[in-house]
Structures are given as structure tokens and as C-alpha cells.
Amino acid sequence: MRAALAVAMLVGFYLLALALVGGMVALEFMAFEHAPFTAIKLGFFVVPATFAVVAAVVTLERHESDAEPGLRVTPEQQPRLWALVNRIAEQVGTPPPDQIRVIADVNAAVSESTRFLGLVVTERRMYIGAPLLAALSERQLASVLAHELGHYANSDTRLSGIVVTGRDAIRRVVVGMNREHRLQALLHKVFVGYAKVYMRLSSATCRRQELAADAVSAKIVGSASAASALREVGAIGFSWHMFLNGHLATGWAAGYLPTSIYAGFTAMAAAPEVQPVLDDIRSQDTDEDADPYDSHPPTKARIAAIEALGAPSPRDWADRQALALLDGPERLLDRVLMTAIDEDADQKKRVDWDTFHHVSAQNLFAKATNRLTTTAAKIMGGDPTLGTVLNALDADRVIDLAPEDPSRVGGPHARRAHAAKAVATELQQLVELALSTTGHGRWSINWAAEVRLLLPTFDVTDLPHAITTATGDTHDTTALRALLDKAGIPTTFTPTPP
């Protein structure tokens, strides 16, 4: 009944748009009959608004012209993946998709190209996230795909498909109105009010559909496997975000990419240093309050419903990694990410992961220490070098070198101590950067994104004391200068990205 009512409201959207267009056209004709000059002025508002509404209505039936995300894989290219999808589709009781596309998101989805308000399906597509292929087991992947194919197979799919199509179409209409145009701004408010009612009504249908698709998944692979897949997808989402932002982004900024991106991601997912965090995410059973417009129930509720079914786990699903389903997995998954992140990705220099982490840290610390050398140059009137920083310390300008104004921190002694601590941290980073740049050390980053400098041939035991002396009350840089001289680091050293 909810789905049928949502469909009726979608038809009502056409009627609303038709009424608005008809009203504006009638208003314009009436103005021409009684006050032509006024009609001309009114036309500057009515014509664009009428065009915008008509374009919005056309959007409902227009086939998406945007490029499809990800890479399409054919049965010839990936026979085992297609075999898995066909097997699941047969068990679910629905035709398999016409296309499978591998995307760079931690997600899986299905979509349809339709006509006549979704009543006629012309093509079905399945989207599978590359991170899921890289980190899930085959059994867990089967659960995810069974859920997606379950959207096709449930008895309410036909009306629910229209509901989903309507939600997306009305969203595009609301976003597409020009709110800087006064009449369109007014029409926007009308459509927003209608959209809120529609979204709230249709959300119940969408959430029910998600739970029904979960039930299909549990029936195919068992409740335990379906629940574990949901928990694992949450952990993969966290690790994927950490991988992109804590590892890939820093080297990317320096102009580098690893030779095998997904080899690094799979290594990170298995690294002992990140397991406690991922285990904590898997064990969490709380969700934020659900948005009334959210199309998915809270994960906690979904897992509880799946486990309540008590569906047994068939023994004919493999527990091997889903990557085993792919031919040339690293090449495929890397290509997916390369096409998703930037069109200039192929211009990046490709290096092994050890080198990638090294240049990432070099770039990170070069940017982090640039503030210190630049500030020293402003204070002393020289070049932004390590030597200029040391000269500023010799002149007891540590407070001026500090990254923050310490004037609000207690008395003079407290302010100086606060400044010295901040400057000491940046100075140590600058010296370590100089050591790595001159070939004495190499940066290492573990998969928990913890950075350290490896110095196999140079003793830096005295470095902390030398920095403390240089930034402390004595502001004596003699020991630090001697250490730099021993390492062959010139005082003209300037932090520059690799």
C-alpha cells in the first residue's frame, strides 16, 4: 500500500508540474490581453521558470546520459565472477544482470534502465566495489550480491523500483531549480515541500525492501554469513578511508603512486597494527538515530533481523578470498581506482610501496617544517634555511618562532616553555628531514600510518638533548651544529618536497 501510494504521488508530481506550467502560461496570456507591456516584463520570470519545470518533468523519463562509473567486465574477461553472479541469480530466482561493473567505492548496487515509469526494464546493471572484492571472502561477497539481486526478485520489486526511480528523479528536480531566480525560488519551495512528503513516505518502502533483500541473502548463504558480511563491510569502509587518506593521498600530493595500489590495501587490511581498530568496528552494535528520509534501516536492526531468521549456512560456499574469483585481480582493481580518482593518474610516477611511503613522508615533513624556516627568515631577514632557524635560536627568538601566540599561557617563563616545546617538535622534524634528504636515513610508515625515520648508519642518540639545549633557556645551538656538521648537513638546507 505504501508503494502504491508513493507511485500515486509520483504521478501527482506530473500533475503538479502540469498545473504549475498551465497556470504560468495562462497568467502570461491574460497579461498579454490586458497589459502587453506588463506581460513582456512578466515574461522575464515566467518563461525561464516554465522551461525549468518542463525540463524537470522530462528528467523523470530521460535516460541517464552521464558516464557509468567503474569498469565493465564481460563474462569472457572475468568468467568466475560472472559464474558466481549467475549462480546466485538462479538461487534467488531472478535473471542475472546484463552488465557487471567494478567500481572504486565500498559498495555494491543494482540499477535498471526503464521506460514508462519503471514498468518496462530495458537493461539491468550490477556494481561491485573493488574494495569489497579485495577484502571480503567469497562467502561474504555472495551474501552482498544475493542482497542486491534480492532487490530484483522480491514480489514488490516492480512498484518499489518505481519508488526508487521517483526518489531519484524528484531529488534531481529539487536540486536543478535555480533558487537565485525569484519565481523559480518560489517553485523550488513548492517542490521541496512535495519532495519531503514523498521521501518520508517512500523511505518506509525502501527500508522494507532492504530488510527483504537481507532475508534473501540470509537464505542463500545463511544468517551467520550474512551478518558477518554486514559487519565486515563497515570495517572495510573504515580501512578504505584510512588507506586513501592516510597512505595514498600523501604520496599522490608528491606526484607518486605505488606500483600495485590494491596490494597495499590488502596488506593493510591484514596488518597486525590495524586489527584492534577493525575488530572494534566489527564488534560495535550501535547506530546513530536513523534519518527519517534514510532508505536503509540502521545496521544494528538489519543484523538483528538477519540473526533472528536463523537460516542455516550451506556448506557449498567457499571461504577463500573473493580475489580468487578474478583473473588478473591487481591489474583490474588498480585500473578501477586509477579511472576513478583522477584523469591525470597515469602521469604519476609509479614506485614500490617502501619508496612510496618514503617519498610520502618526505613530502609531509617538507610541508610541515616549511612554516618554521619561513618564520625564521622573516625574523632574521635571511633565507628560509635550517641555519636561519639556528641563528634565530641563538638570538633567543624562540617565542617568535613558535607556531602559536603563547601570550595567553601564564607568565613569561610559562610562555617561553610553551613556545620552546612547540619549536623543538618542528626543529626535530626539520633535522630528521635533513638527515633523510642527505642519505643518512629512510622514512618508514606502518599500516597504522605511524611514521618513523630509520637511521642504520648514523647515531642520533644525542639529538634530543641537542634540540632541548638549542630551544631551552640556554638557547645554545653548539651541540646541534656539531651534530649537523658530523652528518655533513649544510646550514643552507631548505625543506623542499621530493
Side-chain angles (χ1 to χ4, degrees):
M1 290 299 296
R2 290 192 183 97
L5 184 56
V7 172
M9 287 193 66
L10 180 57
V11 174
F13 179 84
Y14 279 103
L15 299 178
L16 173 64
L18 181 63
L20 291 172
V21 170
M24 288 187 290
V25 171
L27 179 64
E28 188 67 18
F29 272 109
M30 289 175 60
F32 265 113
E33 287 182 2
H34 299 92
F37 183 70
T38 301
I40 293 173
K41 292 193 295 183
L42 186 62
F44 285 105
F45 295 94
V46 170
V47 172
T50 302
F51 177 80
V53 174
V54 171
V57 172
V58 172
T59 302
L60 287 175
E61 284 297 319
R62 187 185 64 203
H63 181 72
E64 288 292 331
S65 60
D66 296 338
E68 285 287 338
L71 292 179
R72 181 177 182 177
V73 294
T74 65
E76 293 74 26
Q77 293 168 334
Q78 299 296 336
R80 289 188 298 279
L81 179 61
W82 268 96
L84 176 70
V85 173
N86 288 333
R87 175 188 173 191
I88 296 171
E90 182 179 357
Q91 292 191 27
V92 171
T94 186
D98 301 299
Q99 282 191 41
I100 293 178
R101 304 187 71 91
V102 182
I103 59 176
D105 299 326
V106 184
N107 190 26
V110 289
S111 71
E112 296 177 330
S113 293
T114 63
R115 300 210 181 274
F116 306 114
L117 283 177
L119 294 175
V120 176
V121 177
T122 58
E123 186 180 52
R124 288 175 165 179
R125 293 173 296 276
M126 170 172 276
Y127 307 91
I128 306 175
L132 301 182
L133 288 166
L136 288 176
S137 69
E138 183 175 328
R139 182 188 296 268
Q140 290 169 331
L141 179 65
S143 172
V144 172
L145 301 185
H147 171 96
E148 298 305 328
L149 290 171
H151 285 306
Y152 289 148
N154 291 325
S155 58
D156 61 348
T157 323
R158 188 169 288 183
L159 283 182
S160 295
I162 303 174
V163 170
V164 173
T165 301
R167 285 169 65 92
D168 184 57
I170 292 178
R171 177 191 59 79
R172 292 198 305 268
V173 170
V174 171
V175 172
M177 300 296 287
N178 182 5
R179 279 167 279 180
E180 295 182 0
H181 187 282
R182 279 188 287 178
L183 185 54
Q184 288 191 49
L186 178 61
L187 295 176
H188 177 267
K189 291 181 179 179
V190 174
F191 281 117
V192 165
Y194 196 98
K196 285 183 177 180
V197 176
Y198 183 89
M199 294 296 183
R200 188 127 193 179
L201 178 66
S202 61
S203 291
T205 299
C206 292
R207 288 194 291 268
R208 181 174 179 177
Q209 185 183 19
E210 292 300 322
L211 292 174
D214 284 340
V216 172
S217 173
K219 178 182 177 182
I220 299 298
V221 302
S223 290
S225 296
S228 75
L230 267 180
R231 292 189 178 97
E232 195 62 31
V233 168
I236 294 170
F238 174 86
S239 59
W240 181 241
H241 181 269
M242 180 179 174
F243 176 74
L244 291 181
N245 295 280
H247 294 276
L248 213 57
T250 51
W252 172 275
Y256 291 83
L257 273 176
T259 50
S260 177
I261 299 172
Y262 274 90
F265 176 61
T266 54
M268 189 191 80
E273 59 266 30
V274 301
Q275 290 311 305
V277 178
L278 298 183
D279 288 341
D280 183 60
I281 293 172
R282 294 183 186 104
S283 65
Q284 289 177 2
D285 60 354
T286 59
D287 272 318
E288 297 180 359
D289 292 337
D291 189 318
Y293 303 111
D294 198 343
S295 62
H296 284 65
T299 303
K300 178 182 178 180
R302 293 177 64 187
I303 291 176
I306 288 171
E307 292 178 336
L309 293 173
S313 298
R315 297 182 179 181
D316 55 347
W317 291 106
D319 284 323
R320 62 180 180 176
Q321 289 302 109
L323 275 177
L325 294 165
L326 301 178
D327 288 342
E330 290 188 3
R331 183 176 64 255
L332 169 65
L333 301 182
D334 279 16
R335 193 70 240 159
V336 168
L337 182 61
M338 293 279 282
T339 57
I341 53 179
D342 197 286
E343 61 182 11
D344 296 327
D346 284 326
Q347 305 303 315
K348 301 293 182 180
K349 185 177 180 180
R350 304 298 287 261
V351 293
D352 61 79
W353 267 103
D354 286 342
T355 303
F356 182 78
H357 276 149
H358 172 71
V359 296
S360 297
Q362 282 282 102
N363 184 60
L364 187 66
F365 281 100
K367 291 182 177 179
T369 56
N370 183 66
R371 190 215 64 83
L372 180 61
T373 56
T374 302
T375 303
K378 291 178 180 178
I379 294 171
M380 304 303 293
D383 296 324
T385 65
L386 175 55
T388 305
V389 175
L390 298 180
N391 293 339
L393 291 172
D394 285 334
D396 198 17
R397 302 294 296 273
V398 69
I399 289 181
D400 299 321
L401 284 173
E404 299 176 358
D405 181 8
S407 59
R408 299 181 182 179
V409 183
H413 183 74
R415 289 198 297 272
R416 195 191 189 290
H418 178 80
K421 183 178 180 180
V423 172
T425 299
E426 290 190 357
L427 181 58
Q428 175 146 345
Q429 292 175 345
L430 180 59
V431 172
E432 289 180 344
L433 178 65
L435 286 167
S436 67
T437 302
T438 53
H440 289 289
R442 191 171 181 83
W443 295 103
S444 173
I445 304 179
N446 70 6
W447 291 114
E450 298 167 335
V451 184
R452 66 191 181 108
L453 180 64
L454 305 177
L455 294 161
T457 61
F458 191 80
D459 184 10
V460 290
T461 305
D462 297 331
L463 179 59
H465 175 72
I467 289 177
T468 300
T469 303
T471 58
D473 293 336
T474 60
H475 54 88
D476 182 3
T477 63
T478 303
L480 184 53
R481 289 179 186 273
L483 188 148
L484 295 174
D485 184 63
K486 179 182 176 182
I489 298 174
T491 56
T492 56
F493 173 79
T494 301
T496 54

